[in-house]
Amino acid sequence: MHTTDINAPSLTLGIETSCDETGIALYHSEKGLLAHSLYSQVKLHAEYGGVVPELASRDHVRKILPLVRETLDKAQTQPSDITGIAYTRGPGLMGALLSGAAVARSLAFAWQLPAVGVHHMEGHLLAPMLEDTQPEFPFICLLVSGGHSMIIRVDGIGRYRLLGDTLDDAAGEAFDKTAKMLGLGYPGGPEVSKRALQGVSDRYKFPRPMVDRPGLDMSFSGLKTYTLNTWLKAKDENDATEQTQADICRAFEMAVADTLRIKCKRALEQEGLNRLVVSGGVSANREIREQLTALMDKRRGEVFFPRLEFCTDNGAMIAYAGSKRLAAGQSDDLNFACQPRWDLESLTPIDDSVV
């Protein structure tokens, strides 16, 4: 295993390719984030209404090295300045993960550097650490993305305890499926939120799933079905107008945000904490941010969000998380393996002196 002096300055190259965005970043242990670049495949997949794994993998292969060169140029640095490489090992699409991992391992071998695979959700969870004001441990993290909706107690890097999980559709997945049912564009989540801005908030009252029972698990499949039935009824009544569509989007968005607020409040009370971190792609949603900010203001607690550009997949969060694990002496062998499914609680804790 490669070992490093945790007190020596380091420069980590981060490579994120878990799904349909190629993210590259350079993170310096003392100077912070030096540069980052992101290429989105939204236009590539738009005509299919969703991500096509084979196309995603091929596009990552085409884009990774040009983006690495672009990021190095932005930071005005050279490969010889890099001290380690971090890449997304999982979870995600296997082909996409392998694309990034193979390039990362090849660069590490060519440049004689240590490389470490990073858990994609740990990257999201730690994304607020890239900001000037960082949350202190311990805290509750609401991690909401296209594939995950989790409530986690975080006592340090690698010290995670899953308190609540989604039983079916994640919040982001429910947003995307709702958009498809309503005939909106791709990607669906932002389209629902955009339409919701024109919606009347009190026309429809959608259910808040699983808030009437104990526990912190979540389920958004039933809410998705309720939304579809409301839209089909509007069609039957010849009321499938743009305004009705906007009103339904508003009711759906408010129901998701309110459900997440109730679950977060319950988690904070259960764990005796008053510090909340919200991350993942869905954390960019305006209604969710407003409701959770209001919750923590009322509790006189603290809430932390990553900046909007770091809510969705990005190389900066991988570079940051990887830099901490490299500083702790962790690195991968040449015989690397990706993990499309990976338990967050199985990660190795990092000594507090590295953080």
Side-chain angles (χ1 to χ4, degrees):
M1 177 178 289
H2 180 90
T3 57
T4 54
D5 179 1
I6 64 173
N7 297 313
S10 63
L11 179 62
T12 303
L13 172 67
I15 299 176
E16 152 60 21
T17 62
S18 64
C19 190
D20 61 342
E21 290 173 313
T22 311
I24 307 295
L26 286 165
Y27 180 83
H28 193 278
S29 58
E30 294 181 350
K31 299 176 183 178
L33 184 65
L34 299 187
H36 67 100
S37 303
L38 182 70
Y39 177 80
S40 174
Q41 300 176 1
V42 166
K43 292 182 179 178
L44 175 66
H45 301 288
E47 65 177 296
Y48 304 100
V51 178
V52 180
E54 178 64 22
L55 295 180
S57 303
R58 292 180 182 182
D59 211 48
H60 285 309
V61 172
R62 285 192 290 264
K63 295 298 191 299
I64 294 174
L65 289 179
L67 284 175
V68 169
R69 288 191 288 267
E70 177 184 315
T71 307
L72 286 167
D73 289 343
K74 285 182 181 178
Q76 297 183 327
T77 189
Q78 303 294 324
S80 58
D81 299 320
I82 298 172
T83 59
I85 298 176
Y87 61 93
T88 305
R89 184 193 296 163
L93 301 175
M94 179 57 99
L97 292 169
L98 285 171
S99 299
V103 173
R105 283 298 336 171
S106 298
L107 290 176
F109 180 76
W111 294 341
Q112 297 184 313
L113 296 173
V116 65
V118 172
H119 194 294
H120 180 73
M121 305 317 292
E122 180 175 60
H124 276 304
L125 187 152
L126 297 176
M129 299 296 186
L130 292 163
E131 307 303 330
D132 293 334
T133 303
Q134 303 176 351
E136 296 180 2
F137 302 114
F139 56 77
I140 296 296
C141 177
L142 171 65
L143 216 167
V144 277
S145 65
H148 299 82
S149 292
M150 299 187 288
I151 298 176
I152 305 157
R153 180 185 171 111
V154 181
D155 289 292
I157 297 180
R159 295 181 174 87
Y160 311 128
R161 181 158 58 88
L162 183 63
L163 304 177
D165 202 352
T166 183
L167 302 180
D168 40 57
D169 290 350
E173 187 178 5
F175 266 97
D176 289 339
K177 289 181 178 179
T178 293
K180 196 167 187 177
M181 291 185 304
L182 295 176
L184 302 179
Y186 172 84
E191 287 297 319
V192 171
S193 299
K194 188 187 302 182
R195 295 299 176 94
L197 292 173
Q198 280 75 50
V200 177
S201 61
D202 57 357
R203 180 177 176 185
Y204 296 108
K205 177 69 173 179
F206 281 15
R208 276 56 173 161
M210 294 186 68
V211 300
D212 58 348
R213 65 186 73 178
L216 298 171
D217 286 337
M218 293 163 277
S219 168
F220 295 103
S221 180
L223 179 60
K224 177 191 65 182
T225 302
Y226 191 95
T227 304
L228 175 61
N229 290 337
T230 303
W231 179 238
L232 291 176
K233 183 180 179 181
K235 283 186 172 182
D236 289 341
E237 297 173 351
N238 294 319
D239 189 30
T241 64
E242 287 190 5
Q243 185 59 53
T244 296
Q245 193 181 59
D247 295 343
I248 290 174
C249 287
R250 178 70 174 144
F252 171 82
E253 183 181 68
M254 290 180 66
V256 173
D258 200 30
T259 299
L260 295 176
R261 177 190 62 80
I262 292 168
K263 294 290 183 175
C264 285
K265 180 175 182 289
R266 191 176 293 176
L268 291 163
E269 292 173 348
Q270 173 184 302
E271 297 300 311
L273 298 175
N274 211 20
R275 190 176 298 117
L276 177 66
V277 165
V278 188
S279 58
V282 184
S283 69
N285 180 272
R286 177 191 57 83
E287 180 68 23
I288 291 173
R289 286 190 172 227
E290 288 182 359
Q291 287 213 30
L292 293 177
T293 298
L295 167 67
M296 299 312 292
D297 285 346
K298 186 175 181 180
R299 293 176 58 87
R300 296 188 179 182
E302 298 177 286
V303 62
F304 299 85
F305 301 93
R307 71 189 82 165
L308 292 179
E309 63 183 320
F310 293 153
C311 289
T312 52
D313 296 349
N314 63 86
M317 66 184 192
I318 301 303
Y320 176 84
S323 72
K324 299 303 179 183
R325 294 199 169 273
L326 287 166
Q330 297 181 22
S331 63
D332 295 339
D333 296 328
L334 284 175
N335 296 324
F336 65 92
C338 293
Q339 297 176 246
R341 295 183 181 276
W342 192 0
D343 181 5
L344 188 64
E345 291 180 303
S346 69
L347 297 184
T348 302
I350 290 180
D351 188 87
D352 291 340
S353 63
V354 177
V355 181

